[in-house]
Amino acid sequence: MKHLSEYRDKELAQKLIAAIRDQSKRPIRLMEVCGTHTVSIFRHGIRQVLPPTIQLISGPGCPVCVTATEEIDRAVKLARNPGVMITTFGDLVRVPGSQSSLQMERASGADVRMVYSTFDALKLARENQNKKVIFLAIGFETTAPTIAAAVLEAKLLGLENYFILSAHKLLPPALEVLLNSGDLNLQGFIYPGHVTTIIGTGAYEQVAEKYHLPGVVCGFEPVDILETILMLVRQIEQGQAKVEIQYKRGSSAIGNPKALNVLNRVFVPCDAPWRGLGTIPDSGLALRPEFRAFAAEDHFDLQVPPAQDHPGCACGEVLRGIKTPLQCLLFRTACRPDSPIGPCMVSTEGTCAAYFKYNE
Amino acid sequence: MCLAVPMEVKKITDNWAVVEYEGTRREVRLDLVDPKPEVGDYVIIHAGFALHRIDEEEAKENLKYWKEILNKDI
Amino acid sequence: MTFDKVLLDHGGGGRASHELIERVFVPRFQNPFLKEMNDSAVFDLNGANLAFTTDSYVVDPIFFPGGDIGSLAVCGTVNDLAMRGAKPYYLSVGFIMEEGFPLKDLEQILLSMERAAQEAGVQIVTGDTKVVPKGAVDKIFINTSGIGLIPKGFNIAGQNAQPGDAVLLSGTLGDHGLTILSKREGLAFESSLKSDAAPLNHLVQEILSTGPEIHVLRDPTRGGLATTLNEIAGQSQVGIEIWEETIPIRDSVSAASEILGLDPLYVANEGKLVAILPQSQAEAVLAVMKKNPYGQDAALIGEVKAENPGKVVLKTIIGGKRLLDMLTGEQLPRIC
Ligand code: SF4
């Protein structure tokens, strides 16, 4: 068993599609919170096989897309410091700040490296003692514990040239803001499998109770997504609002207390700016006092002028699921993956990029 | 949101494991996974860390369920 | 934001590269050959129908499983000629090396160039070497140009795809690109992947021997199959539909793509070709391809349509459809 290819089975998919078509009666809108789901839905052409009763909308679950302009501006400012090496995950280098991006800074001579893991960044720090190695830490609850583990390791090793700039985001506070924004018209959530791996389903239970909204924790293969949709359709048709787990092989109701413990040892929640959602209380992560030696903001001047987003960019509404990219005037004209205006166009996971790449 | 893939544990040395999936190998950290996997287990890997040990029994059950579905109406 | 600098994306082979070429190069050197934007220029010289092409190789790492920068430099140029139906004859080669480059490495590169040239049946007849100060290039860059002869009666070009044509692919996708990526510093995956770098001119000759009705041949290098098909769809003003189920991809390649968050349809190949030809000939050509070691896994993967001119549509395994756009910039590995 490989735990992957089995979930791309054509016959199974067909069977699930037939069942969804058969059982979905009421028109419903479901939000996939997670950007990896957005990509998978487009990549496998899932929208086209669903009956017209079901509309999928994409939520704020792409860590690159929700990174605020000012956070990019700070990273750009950091990259301009002599003797600094910026390390980060792939897509982030393309995200435009107000003036520049890391990719453009690299073209102008900045040392910007892509890594696969925070431990790769640690290794770079050890091998380049004459450089200050800064890891731009983005990601949700899934990624944040890996960053925390690297900070613990850096402390153990006594590294003095390793820093992180934390732009982490936490999911539950954002869900809360979405649900209270009033203009959402939703009947159910497709919850992110790998965030749930860490945090469990507690936060979703509250959503189910308080807003009477069902949700299903979903895997990332086409069969996973189709089964999740079927589970949601059934709940909605029966008037239920439960939290169910479709992605049993990868997550559980309790989550991963060990990873959460590592996370909490290193970070405390703080207010954080989200692109499109504004500042959300306690939705980010800051290093605890005993780890401030690794905080980039304590060692470098990161003052930047208040950021200006492009006035025409509808990313905020797209992230909240109240507009599709097709309703943005800049989509496909001024804003394209090679000249992105908003972050939703930058990341492969971004809703606008997914629409651009995969939509007919 | 978070791309992660199942890979098989081939070797464990302290907090490091070598994991493999269809011929692709990589060293990953075990700091965050509980219970600790053993050689032969599948774990979910994200950004160089094992996050979750896949319960083989559970996964088998699931697939059995799929096979049953194929033969009846759902 | 406007660019006043060349970015890595401009070399990725996707839309950014195209824009750079169209905006900066084509207007400057305007002529009908360049405007066609094919793998090689084809022109008549004293009654002979010649194909002429050039390409530079800057691959990092320079040695990788399945080949090195030398074999790549020969195969790439041979293939560019072959994709116009030409039989390649002569190659030139230019080296730019960083001071301090180990002679032993150079010799190994030359050896694999010699082998690749032998296999392709071409001769390297002229060359040039430059050495630059440390850091001015990364180890070694190679440029090759090539010249070949097109047999009478063949007109193979990106403009010639016609509605109803079959789309054939000569083998598995993504092997080269993922091999290179898995060896890059910072990613360092160990894998069983191997580059598919190979000269395809013999395979092309065998395909051509089935008859003159081949419309398009193209090797899906940088930007992958998706980008190549988009180029053809644009040049021919046709739609192309391909079927995910039929596209051969090795398990090891799809696994590595999964781990790095990449799409094999956008990953570079160095030993594969796409052939577009009338449906009636598809079976015969497929049989011929399968007999050649470089075409063993060949498959019929789609068809040319009149609808959606300029666009490529993928029919997914579960029966959905998605638009396959051109690669935008470099494909970046992603973890989220
Ligand atoms: S298309 Fe571009 S400008 Fe419009 S919302 Fe998306 S990212 Fe913003």
Side-chain angles (χ1 to χ4, degrees), chain A residues 8 10 13-14 43-45 48 89-90 94 96 99 103-104 106 108 120 336-338 348-349 356-360, chain C residues 1 3 5 7-9 15 19 186-187 245 258 316-318 320-323 325 328-330 332-336:
Chain A
R8 293 197 180 154
K10 185 182 176 179
Q14 235 93 64
R43 201 171 147 184
H44 299 287
Q48 290 95 325
F89 298 132
R94 285 212 186 101
Q99 305 288 332
Q103 171 175 252
M104 286 193 227
R106 186 172 62 191
S108 307
D120 299 337
R336 312 164 57 89
D338 47 1
T348 359
E349 269 186 53
F356 188 95
K357 251 180 98 177
Y358 301 128
N359 228 24
E360 269 184 72
Chain C
M1 265 182 294
F3 298 102
K5 289 193 177 74
L7 301 180
L8 278 174
D9 278 348
R15 191 177 296 282
E19 280 189 6
L187 292 176
E245 252 183 298
E258 215 61 62
T316 67
I317 289 177
I318 65 160
K321 281 189 176 176
R322 86 184 216 218
L323 196 65
D325 198 36
T328 300
E330 254 192 314
L332 302 178
R334 57 195 184 94
I335 59 107
C336 47

Short mmCIF file of all heavy atoms in Angstrom, two decimals, chain A residues 8 10 13-14 43-45 48 89-90 94 96 99 103-104 106 108 120 336-338 348-349 356-360, chain C residues 1 3 5 7-9 15 19 186-187 245 258 316-318 320-323 325 328-330 332-336:
data_model
loop_
_atom_site.label_atom_id
_atom_site.label_comp_id
_atom_site.label_asym_id
_atom_site.label_seq_id
_atom_site.Cartn_x
_atom_site.Cartn_y
_atom_site.Cartn_z
N ARG A 8 -6.72 7.60 -6.32
CA ARG A 8 -6.93 8.24 -7.63
C ARG A 8 -7.71 7.32 -8.55
O ARG A 8 -7.66 7.46 -9.75
CB ARG A 8 -5.58 8.53 -8.27
CG ARG A 8 -4.86 9.58 -7.50
CD ARG A 8 -3.73 10.21 -8.24
NE ARG A 8 -3.16 11.18 -7.35
CZ ARG A 8 -1.92 11.59 -7.40
NH1 ARG A 8 -1.11 11.13 -8.33
NH2 ARG A 8 -1.49 12.47 -6.54
N LYS A 10 -10.17 5.59 -10.82
CA LYS A 10 -11.18 6.15 -11.71
C LYS A 10 -12.58 5.64 -11.40
O LYS A 10 -13.53 6.40 -11.32
CB LYS A 10 -10.79 5.80 -13.14
CG LYS A 10 -11.67 6.41 -14.17
CD LYS A 10 -11.23 5.96 -15.54
CE LYS A 10 -12.19 6.49 -16.60
NZ LYS A 10 -11.77 6.08 -17.93
N ALA A 13 -13.98 7.04 -8.24
CA ALA A 13 -14.34 8.44 -8.45
C ALA A 13 -15.69 8.52 -9.16
O ALA A 13 -16.58 9.27 -8.76
CB ALA A 13 -13.27 9.15 -9.26
N GLN A 14 -15.85 7.71 -10.19
CA GLN A 14 -17.08 7.73 -10.96
C GLN A 14 -18.30 7.38 -10.09
O GLN A 14 -19.34 8.00 -10.16
CB GLN A 14 -16.97 6.71 -12.10
CG GLN A 14 -17.24 7.35 -13.45
CD GLN A 14 -15.95 7.82 -14.11
OE1 GLN A 14 -15.13 7.01 -14.42
NE2 GLN A 14 -15.81 9.11 -14.32
N ARG A 43 -6.88 20.78 -10.50
CA ARG A 43 -6.00 19.87 -11.22
C ARG A 43 -6.73 18.64 -11.71
O ARG A 43 -6.44 18.12 -12.78
CB ARG A 43 -4.86 19.48 -10.28
CG ARG A 43 -3.68 18.99 -11.02
CD ARG A 43 -2.51 18.83 -10.10
NE ARG A 43 -1.74 17.70 -10.60
CZ ARG A 43 -0.68 17.21 -10.03
NH1 ARG A 43 -0.25 17.73 -8.91
NH2 ARG A 43 -0.05 16.20 -10.55
N HIS A 44 -7.67 18.17 -10.94
CA HIS A 44 -8.39 16.96 -11.33
C HIS A 44 -9.72 17.28 -11.99
O HIS A 44 -10.48 16.38 -12.31
CB HIS A 44 -8.59 16.06 -10.12
CG HIS A 44 -7.29 15.61 -9.51
ND1 HIS A 44 -6.48 14.69 -10.11
CD2 HIS A 44 -6.64 16.00 -8.39
CE1 HIS A 44 -5.39 14.52 -9.37
NE2 HIS A 44 -5.46 15.31 -8.32
N GLY A 45 -9.99 18.54 -12.18
CA GLY A 45 -11.22 18.91 -12.88
C GLY A 45 -12.47 18.57 -12.09
O GLY A 45 -13.48 18.17 -12.65
N GLN A 48 -16.04 20.46 -12.69
CA GLN A 48 -16.85 20.11 -13.87
C GLN A 48 -17.65 18.84 -13.71
O GLN A 48 -18.59 18.61 -14.44
CB GLN A 48 -15.97 19.97 -15.12
CG GLN A 48 -15.39 21.26 -15.62
CD GLN A 48 -14.01 21.46 -15.06
OE1 GLN A 48 -13.71 21.08 -13.93
NE2 GLN A 48 -13.15 22.04 -15.85
N PHE A 89 10.68 29.07 1.69
CA PHE A 89 10.05 28.06 0.85
C PHE A 89 9.74 28.66 -0.52
O PHE A 89 9.41 29.85 -0.63
CB PHE A 89 8.75 27.57 1.49
CG PHE A 89 8.95 26.90 2.82
CD1 PHE A 89 8.15 27.24 3.91
CD2 PHE A 89 9.91 25.92 2.99
CE1 PHE A 89 8.31 26.61 5.14
CE2 PHE A 89 10.07 25.28 4.22
CZ PHE A 89 9.27 25.64 5.29
N GLY A 90 9.81 27.81 -1.54
CA GLY A 90 9.67 28.17 -2.95
C GLY A 90 8.89 29.41 -3.36
O GLY A 90 9.48 30.44 -3.67
N ARG A 94 8.43 34.96 -5.24
CA ARG A 94 7.77 35.72 -6.31
C ARG A 94 6.76 36.74 -5.80
O ARG A 94 6.31 37.58 -6.56
CB ARG A 94 6.98 34.75 -7.21
CG ARG A 94 7.84 33.97 -8.12
CD ARG A 94 7.11 33.68 -9.43
NE ARG A 94 7.92 32.79 -10.23
CZ ARG A 94 7.69 31.48 -10.32
NH1 ARG A 94 6.65 30.95 -9.74
NH2 ARG A 94 8.49 30.74 -11.03
N PRO A 96 4.90 39.77 -4.77
CA PRO A 96 5.24 41.18 -4.83
C PRO A 96 4.92 41.90 -3.53
O PRO A 96 3.86 41.71 -2.95
CB PRO A 96 4.33 41.70 -5.95
CG PRO A 96 3.18 40.75 -6.01
CD PRO A 96 3.68 39.42 -5.51
N GLN A 99 7.05 47.46 -3.50
CA GLN A 99 7.98 47.94 -4.52
C GLN A 99 8.69 46.80 -5.24
O GLN A 99 9.00 46.88 -6.41
CB GLN A 99 9.08 48.80 -3.88
CG GLN A 99 8.58 49.96 -3.06
CD GLN A 99 8.00 51.05 -3.92
OE1 GLN A 99 8.40 51.21 -5.05
NE2 GLN A 99 7.03 51.78 -3.38
N GLN A 103 12.51 37.82 -5.43
CA GLN A 103 13.08 37.41 -6.71
C GLN A 103 13.83 38.57 -7.38
O GLN A 103 14.91 38.41 -7.91
CB GLN A 103 11.92 36.92 -7.58
CG GLN A 103 12.24 36.64 -9.00
CD GLN A 103 11.02 36.05 -9.70
OE1 GLN A 103 10.98 34.88 -10.01
NE2 GLN A 103 10.01 36.86 -9.93
N MET A 104 13.23 39.75 -7.30
CA MET A 104 13.89 40.91 -7.90
C MET A 104 15.12 41.31 -7.09
O MET A 104 16.12 41.74 -7.66
CB MET A 104 12.92 42.07 -7.98
CG MET A 104 11.91 41.86 -9.07
SD MET A 104 11.04 43.40 -9.36
CE MET A 104 9.39 42.82 -9.39
N ARG A 106 16.96 39.23 -5.57
CA ARG A 106 17.99 38.25 -5.94
C ARG A 106 18.66 38.68 -7.25
O ARG A 106 19.87 38.60 -7.39
CB ARG A 106 17.36 36.86 -6.08
CG ARG A 106 18.38 35.76 -6.33
CD ARG A 106 17.75 34.38 -6.27
NE ARG A 106 16.75 34.23 -7.31
CZ ARG A 106 15.89 33.20 -7.37
NH1 ARG A 106 15.90 32.27 -6.45
NH2 ARG A 106 15.01 33.14 -8.34
N SER A 108 19.08 41.56 -8.18
CA SER A 108 19.95 42.71 -7.89
C SER A 108 21.11 42.34 -6.98
O SER A 108 21.80 43.22 -6.49
CB SER A 108 19.14 43.82 -7.22
OG SER A 108 18.01 44.12 -7.97
N ASP A 120 17.31 22.50 6.56
CA ASP A 120 18.22 22.87 5.48
C ASP A 120 18.75 24.29 5.72
O ASP A 120 19.91 24.60 5.44
CB ASP A 120 17.53 22.80 4.12
CG ASP A 120 17.04 21.39 3.80
OD1 ASP A 120 17.60 20.44 4.37
OD2 ASP A 120 16.12 21.26 3.00
N ARG A 336 -1.53 38.52 -14.13
CA ARG A 336 -1.27 37.19 -14.67
C ARG A 336 -0.16 36.57 -13.83
O ARG A 336 0.56 37.29 -13.15
CB ARG A 336 -0.81 37.28 -16.13
CG ARG A 336 -1.67 38.17 -17.00
CD ARG A 336 -0.95 38.52 -18.31
NE ARG A 336 -0.58 37.32 -19.03
CZ ARG A 336 -1.37 36.72 -19.92
NH1 ARG A 336 -2.53 37.24 -20.20
NH2 ARG A 336 -0.98 35.63 -20.52
N PRO A 337 -0.03 35.24 -13.94
CA PRO A 337 1.00 34.62 -13.10
C PRO A 337 2.40 35.20 -13.31
O PRO A 337 3.21 35.22 -12.41
CB PRO A 337 0.96 33.16 -13.53
CG PRO A 337 -0.43 32.94 -14.02
CD PRO A 337 -0.82 34.24 -14.66
N ASP A 338 2.70 35.68 -14.53
CA ASP A 338 4.04 36.23 -14.74
C ASP A 338 4.14 37.69 -14.36
O ASP A 338 5.23 38.25 -14.30
CB ASP A 338 4.51 36.00 -16.19
CG ASP A 338 3.44 36.37 -17.19
OD1 ASP A 338 2.36 36.82 -16.76
OD2 ASP A 338 3.68 36.21 -18.39
N THR A 348 1.11 28.99 -6.63
CA THR A 348 0.37 27.99 -7.40
C THR A 348 -0.93 27.65 -6.70
O THR A 348 -1.89 27.23 -7.32
CB THR A 348 1.16 26.66 -7.48
OG1 THR A 348 2.38 26.81 -6.78
CG2 THR A 348 1.38 26.25 -8.88
N GLU A 349 -0.92 27.79 -5.38
CA GLU A 349 -2.10 27.46 -4.61
C GLU A 349 -3.13 28.56 -4.61
O GLU A 349 -4.24 28.36 -4.15
CB GLU A 349 -1.70 27.25 -3.15
CG GLU A 349 -1.36 25.87 -2.80
CD GLU A 349 -1.14 25.78 -1.32
OE1 GLU A 349 -2.02 26.20 -0.55
OE2 GLU A 349 -0.07 25.31 -0.93
N PHE A 356 -6.59 30.84 -13.27
CA PHE A 356 -5.88 31.19 -14.50
C PHE A 356 -5.35 29.94 -15.20
O PHE A 356 -5.47 29.78 -16.39
CB PHE A 356 -4.71 32.12 -14.18
CG PHE A 356 -4.05 32.69 -15.40
CD1 PHE A 356 -4.43 33.94 -15.88
CD2 PHE A 356 -3.08 31.98 -16.08
CE1 PHE A 356 -3.84 34.46 -17.01
CE2 PHE A 356 -2.47 32.51 -17.21
CZ PHE A 356 -2.85 33.75 -17.68
N LYS A 357 -4.76 29.07 -14.40
CA LYS A 357 -4.08 27.92 -14.97
C LYS A 357 -5.03 26.85 -15.45
O LYS A 357 -4.80 26.20 -16.45
CB LYS A 357 -3.17 27.30 -13.89
CG LYS A 357 -1.71 27.52 -14.17
CD LYS A 357 -0.87 26.90 -13.10
CE LYS A 357 -0.36 25.55 -13.54
NZ LYS A 357 0.51 24.96 -12.54
N TYR A 358 -6.06 26.61 -14.67
CA TYR A 358 -6.83 25.40 -14.92
C TYR A 358 -8.22 25.64 -15.49
O TYR A 358 -8.87 24.72 -15.92
CB TYR A 358 -6.99 24.61 -13.62
CG TYR A 358 -5.68 24.21 -12.99
CD1 TYR A 358 -5.41 24.50 -11.66
CD2 TYR A 358 -4.72 23.53 -13.72
CE1 TYR A 358 -4.21 24.12 -11.08
CE2 TYR A 358 -3.53 23.15 -13.13
CZ TYR A 358 -3.28 23.45 -11.81
OH TYR A 358 -2.10 23.06 -11.23
N ASN A 359 -8.69 26.86 -15.43
CA ASN A 359 -10.08 27.07 -15.80
C ASN A 359 -10.27 27.17 -17.29
O ASN A 359 -9.42 27.65 -18.01
CB ASN A 359 -10.60 28.34 -15.14
CG ASN A 359 -11.92 28.10 -14.47
OD1 ASN A 359 -12.25 26.98 -14.12
ND2 ASN A 359 -12.67 29.16 -14.31
N GLU A 360 -11.42 26.74 -17.74
CA GLU A 360 -11.69 26.87 -19.17
C GLU A 360 -12.28 28.22 -19.46
O GLU A 360 -13.02 28.76 -18.67
CB GLU A 360 -12.66 25.77 -19.61
CG GLU A 360 -11.90 24.56 -20.07
CD GLU A 360 -12.84 23.51 -20.61
OE1 GLU A 360 -13.37 23.72 -21.71
OE2 GLU A 360 -13.04 22.52 -19.93
N MET C 1 4.18 46.18 -11.28
CA MET C 1 5.64 46.28 -11.23
C MET C 1 6.25 46.03 -12.61
O MET C 1 5.84 45.10 -13.28
CB MET C 1 6.19 45.25 -10.25
CG MET C 1 6.39 45.82 -8.89
SD MET C 1 7.09 44.60 -7.78
CE MET C 1 5.80 43.41 -7.66
N PHE C 3 9.72 45.27 -14.97
CA PHE C 3 11.04 44.69 -14.81
C PHE C 3 12.05 45.49 -15.59
O PHE C 3 11.85 45.80 -16.74
CB PHE C 3 11.05 43.25 -15.34
CG PHE C 3 10.10 42.37 -14.59
CD1 PHE C 3 8.87 42.04 -15.13
CD2 PHE C 3 10.43 41.89 -13.34
CE1 PHE C 3 7.99 41.24 -14.44
CE2 PHE C 3 9.55 41.08 -12.65
CZ PHE C 3 8.33 40.76 -13.20
N LYS C 5 15.20 44.27 -15.18
CA LYS C 5 16.28 43.29 -15.09
C LYS C 5 15.78 41.94 -15.59
O LYS C 5 14.59 41.65 -15.49
CB LYS C 5 16.72 43.13 -13.63
CG LYS C 5 17.47 44.33 -13.09
CD LYS C 5 18.15 43.97 -11.78
CE LYS C 5 18.97 45.12 -11.25
NZ LYS C 5 18.13 46.20 -10.69
N LEU C 7 15.21 38.17 -15.10
CA LEU C 7 15.03 37.29 -13.95
C LEU C 7 15.23 35.84 -14.38
O LEU C 7 15.16 35.51 -15.55
CB LEU C 7 13.62 37.46 -13.37
CG LEU C 7 13.23 38.85 -12.90
CD1 LEU C 7 11.81 38.85 -12.35
CD2 LEU C 7 14.20 39.34 -11.82
N LEU C 8 15.43 34.99 -13.38
CA LEU C 8 15.58 33.56 -13.69
C LEU C 8 14.36 33.04 -14.46
O LEU C 8 14.48 32.19 -15.32
CB LEU C 8 15.76 32.75 -12.40
CG LEU C 8 17.19 32.75 -11.84
CD1 LEU C 8 17.22 32.05 -10.50
CD2 LEU C 8 18.15 32.07 -12.82
N ASP C 9 13.20 33.57 -14.13
CA ASP C 9 11.98 33.16 -14.83
C ASP C 9 12.09 33.32 -16.34
O ASP C 9 11.50 32.58 -17.10
CB ASP C 9 10.79 34.01 -14.35
CG ASP C 9 10.22 33.46 -13.05
OD1 ASP C 9 10.59 32.34 -12.67
OD2 ASP C 9 9.39 34.16 -12.45
N ARG C 15 6.18 31.13 -20.34
CA ARG C 15 5.64 32.37 -20.89
C ARG C 15 6.62 33.53 -20.77
O ARG C 15 6.78 34.33 -21.69
CB ARG C 15 4.33 32.72 -20.20
CG ARG C 15 3.58 33.84 -20.86
CD ARG C 15 2.25 34.10 -20.17
NE ARG C 15 1.33 32.98 -20.26
CZ ARG C 15 0.62 32.67 -21.34
NH1 ARG C 15 0.73 33.39 -22.42
NH2 ARG C 15 -0.20 31.65 -21.35
N GLU C 19 7.99 35.88 -23.77
CA GLU C 19 7.79 37.32 -23.83
C GLU C 19 9.10 38.05 -24.04
O GLU C 19 9.16 39.01 -24.79
CB GLU C 19 7.07 37.80 -22.58
CG GLU C 19 5.59 37.52 -22.72
CD GLU C 19 4.75 38.14 -21.63
OE1 GLU C 19 5.31 38.90 -20.80
OE2 GLU C 19 3.56 37.85 -21.62
N GLY C 186 20.30 22.21 -1.56
CA GLY C 186 19.16 22.75 -0.83
C GLY C 186 17.97 21.83 -0.89
O GLY C 186 17.14 21.83 0.00
N LEU C 187 17.86 21.02 -1.93
CA LEU C 187 16.75 20.07 -1.98
C LEU C 187 17.26 18.67 -1.65
O LEU C 187 16.68 17.95 -0.88
CB LEU C 187 16.09 20.08 -3.36
CG LEU C 187 15.35 21.37 -3.66
CD1 LEU C 187 14.82 21.37 -5.07
CD2 LEU C 187 14.21 21.57 -2.68
N GLU C 245 -5.12 9.92 -18.45
CA GLU C 245 -4.97 8.47 -18.28
C GLU C 245 -3.91 7.85 -19.19
O GLU C 245 -3.31 6.84 -18.85
CB GLU C 245 -6.29 7.84 -18.70
CG GLU C 245 -7.12 7.29 -17.62
CD GLU C 245 -8.35 6.65 -18.24
OE1 GLU C 245 -9.14 7.37 -18.89
OE2 GLU C 245 -8.48 5.45 -18.10
N GLU C 258 5.24 14.66 -6.57
CA GLU C 258 4.32 14.80 -5.45
C GLU C 258 5.03 15.44 -4.26
O GLU C 258 4.53 16.36 -3.64
CB GLU C 258 3.87 13.39 -5.08
CG GLU C 258 2.47 13.27 -4.62
CD GLU C 258 1.48 13.70 -5.66
OE1 GLU C 258 1.40 13.08 -6.75
OE2 GLU C 258 0.78 14.67 -5.37
N THR C 316 -9.11 14.86 -17.34
CA THR C 316 -8.50 14.23 -16.17
C THR C 316 -9.02 12.81 -15.99
O THR C 316 -10.01 12.42 -16.60
CB THR C 316 -8.80 15.02 -14.87
OG1 THR C 316 -10.19 14.93 -14.60
CG2 THR C 316 -8.39 16.47 -15.01
N ILE C 317 -8.34 12.07 -15.13
CA ILE C 317 -8.68 10.66 -14.91
C ILE C 317 -10.13 10.52 -14.45
O ILE C 317 -10.83 9.63 -14.87
CB ILE C 317 -7.71 10.05 -13.88
CG1 ILE C 317 -6.34 9.91 -14.54
CG2 ILE C 317 -8.21 8.69 -13.38
CD1 ILE C 317 -5.25 9.39 -13.65
N ILE C 318 -10.58 11.44 -13.62
CA ILE C 318 -11.95 11.30 -13.11
C ILE C 318 -12.98 11.87 -14.08
O ILE C 318 -14.16 11.89 -13.80
CB ILE C 318 -12.12 11.95 -11.73
CG1 ILE C 318 -11.94 13.46 -11.83
CG2 ILE C 318 -11.16 11.37 -10.71
CD1 ILE C 318 -12.57 14.19 -10.66
N GLY C 320 -13.02 15.04 -15.45
CA GLY C 320 -13.13 16.49 -15.52
C GLY C 320 -12.21 17.03 -16.61
O GLY C 320 -11.45 16.28 -17.22
N LYS C 321 -12.32 18.32 -16.86
CA LYS C 321 -11.43 18.92 -17.85
C LYS C 321 -10.72 20.08 -17.23
O LYS C 321 -11.27 20.78 -16.38
CB LYS C 321 -12.24 19.42 -19.04
CG LYS C 321 -12.64 18.31 -19.97
CD LYS C 321 -13.25 18.86 -21.23
CE LYS C 321 -13.56 17.71 -22.18
NZ LYS C 321 -14.23 18.16 -23.38
N ARG C 322 -9.49 20.30 -17.63
CA ARG C 322 -8.83 21.51 -17.15
C ARG C 322 -8.00 22.08 -18.27
O ARG C 322 -7.50 21.36 -19.14
CB ARG C 322 -8.00 21.21 -15.92
CG ARG C 322 -6.61 20.73 -16.22
CD ARG C 322 -5.86 20.35 -14.95
NE ARG C 322 -4.47 20.72 -15.09
CZ ARG C 322 -3.45 19.99 -14.62
NH1 ARG C 322 -3.68 18.88 -13.97
NH2 ARG C 322 -2.22 20.39 -14.80
N LEU C 323 -7.89 23.39 -18.22
CA LEU C 323 -7.08 24.08 -19.21
C LEU C 323 -5.62 23.92 -18.80
O LEU C 323 -5.25 24.14 -17.66
CB LEU C 323 -7.47 25.55 -19.18
CG LEU C 323 -7.03 26.37 -20.37
CD1 LEU C 323 -7.74 25.90 -21.62
CD2 LEU C 323 -7.33 27.83 -20.12
N ASP C 325 -2.31 25.55 -19.19
CA ASP C 325 -1.69 26.77 -19.68
C ASP C 325 -0.19 26.53 -19.84
O ASP C 325 0.34 25.52 -19.43
CB ASP C 325 -1.94 27.89 -18.68
CG ASP C 325 -1.71 29.24 -19.32
OD1 ASP C 325 -2.02 29.39 -20.51
OD2 ASP C 325 -1.19 30.14 -18.63
N THR C 328 4.58 29.36 -16.51
CA THR C 328 4.75 30.80 -16.39
C THR C 328 6.22 31.16 -16.18
O THR C 328 6.89 31.62 -17.07
CB THR C 328 3.89 31.34 -15.25
OG1 THR C 328 2.54 31.05 -15.56
CG2 THR C 328 4.05 32.83 -15.13
N GLY C 329 6.73 30.93 -14.99
CA GLY C 329 8.16 31.17 -14.79
C GLY C 329 8.82 29.83 -14.55
O GLY C 329 8.37 28.82 -15.03
N GLU C 330 9.88 29.84 -13.78
CA GLU C 330 10.48 28.59 -13.36
C GLU C 330 9.48 27.86 -12.47
O GLU C 330 8.81 28.48 -11.66
CB GLU C 330 11.66 28.93 -12.44
CG GLU C 330 13.01 28.76 -13.00
CD GLU C 330 14.00 28.84 -11.85
OE1 GLU C 330 13.87 29.74 -11.01
OE2 GLU C 330 14.87 27.99 -11.81
N LEU C 332 8.74 26.26 -9.20
CA LEU C 332 9.41 26.26 -7.91
C LEU C 332 8.84 25.15 -7.04
O LEU C 332 7.64 24.98 -6.98
CB LEU C 332 9.21 27.61 -7.21
CG LEU C 332 9.69 28.84 -7.95
CD1 LEU C 332 9.37 30.09 -7.16
CD2 LEU C 332 11.17 28.74 -8.21
N PRO C 333 9.72 24.43 -6.36
CA PRO C 333 9.21 23.42 -5.44
C PRO C 333 8.40 24.13 -4.36
O PRO C 333 8.73 25.25 -3.99
CB PRO C 333 10.47 22.82 -4.82
CG PRO C 333 11.60 23.29 -5.64
CD PRO C 333 11.18 24.53 -6.33
N ARG C 334 7.37 23.51 -3.88
CA ARG C 334 6.60 24.18 -2.84
C ARG C 334 6.32 23.19 -1.72
O ARG C 334 6.29 21.99 -1.93
CB ARG C 334 5.30 24.75 -3.41
CG ARG C 334 4.45 23.71 -4.05
CD ARG C 334 3.37 24.32 -4.92
NE ARG C 334 2.54 23.24 -5.42
CZ ARG C 334 1.43 22.83 -4.86
NH1 ARG C 334 0.98 23.44 -3.78
NH2 ARG C 334 0.75 21.83 -5.34
N ILE C 335 6.15 23.69 -0.53
CA ILE C 335 5.81 22.83 0.57
C ILE C 335 4.41 23.15 1.00
O ILE C 335 3.80 22.48 1.79
CB ILE C 335 6.75 22.99 1.77
CG1 ILE C 335 6.71 24.43 2.25
CG2 ILE C 335 8.15 22.59 1.47
CD1 ILE C 335 5.99 24.59 3.52
N CYS C 336 3.90 24.25 0.49
CA CYS C 336 2.55 24.59 0.87
C CYS C 336 1.88 25.25 -0.31
O CYS C 336 2.47 25.37 -1.35
CB CYS C 336 2.56 25.53 2.06
SG CYS C 336 3.71 26.88 1.88
#
